[in-house]
């Protein structure tokens, strides 16, 4: 079956950096919009960033604009580079992908397993 496998995350001090990775298993990501989302206990999952299939269009949540960067290695692994991390960035981060038209939303078809990011001193 088609799967997204995540890696990265962990514990980092405020102001630090982390890089998350997401790799497809059993398929390639050509024609896929890909993105990152995050969720904290008791709250709904929220959009962080997305990038189009041809990498020509990106979107960022206001809360991460200028600090996070989404990138992709063609149809293979894609990444979320997180800089100047803040305690409020603490969440479970999920990667996602969809082969429909550009849709940076919770309606994406494929999801990674999630990885914990904790920002604390």
């Amino acid at each position: 079956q088609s799967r997204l496998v995540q890696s990265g995350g962990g514990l980092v001090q405020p102001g630090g950096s982390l890089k998350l990775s997401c790799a497809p298993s059993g398929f390639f990501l050509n024609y896929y919009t890909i993105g990152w989302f995050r969720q904290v206990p008791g709250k709904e999952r929220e959009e962080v960033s997305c990038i189009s299939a041809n990498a020509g269009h990106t979107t960022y949540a206001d809360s991460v604009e200028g600090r996070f960067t989404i990138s992709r290695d063609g149809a293979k692994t894609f990444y979320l580079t997180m800089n100047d991390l803040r305690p409020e960035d603490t969440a479970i981060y999920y990667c996602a992908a969809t082969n429909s038209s550009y849709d940076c939303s919770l309606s994406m078809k494929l999801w990674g397993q999630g990885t914990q990011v904790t920002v604390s001193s």
Side-chain angles (χ1 to χ4, degrees):
Q1 294 181 338
S2 299
R3 295 162 49 235
L4 295 175
V5 181
Q6 298 182 226
S7 62
L11 176 65
V12 64
Q13 293 182 335
S17 299
L18 285 173
K19 187 174 183 178
L20 307 181
S21 300
C22 185
S25 179
F27 73 112
F28 295 96
L29 289 168
N30 52 311
Y31 307 113
Y32 281 75
T33 298
I34 55 174
W36 293 92
F37 300 77
R38 66 187 182 187
Q39 188 169 23
V40 299
K43 295 186 177 181
E44 295 184 355
R45 195 168 300 183
E46 65 179 8
E47 304 165 18
V48 175
S49 180
C50 291
I51 188 168
S52 61
N54 64 3
H57 181 65
T58 58
T59 55
Y60 294 91
D62 290 344
S63 59
V64 306
E65 183 80 43
R67 299 188 297 120
F68 292 10
T69 302
I70 190 170
S71 60
R72 65 188 302 169
D73 179 18
K76 300 179 181 179
T77 306
F78 62 102
Y79 308 93
L80 183 69
T81 301
M82 303 181 292
N83 297 315
D84 191 24
L85 284 161
R86 305 165 181 171
E88 53 264 41
D89 294 318
T90 296
I92 299 175
Y93 283 72
Y94 298 88
C95 61
T98 185
N99 60 355
S100 63
S101 58
Y102 188 86
D103 182 19
C104 186
S105 75
L106 300 181
S107 296
M108 286 193 168
K109 296 180 179 179
L110 297 173
W111 292 84
Q113 79 277 18
T115 187
Q116 179 71 42
V117 173
T118 302
V119 184
S120 177
S121 60

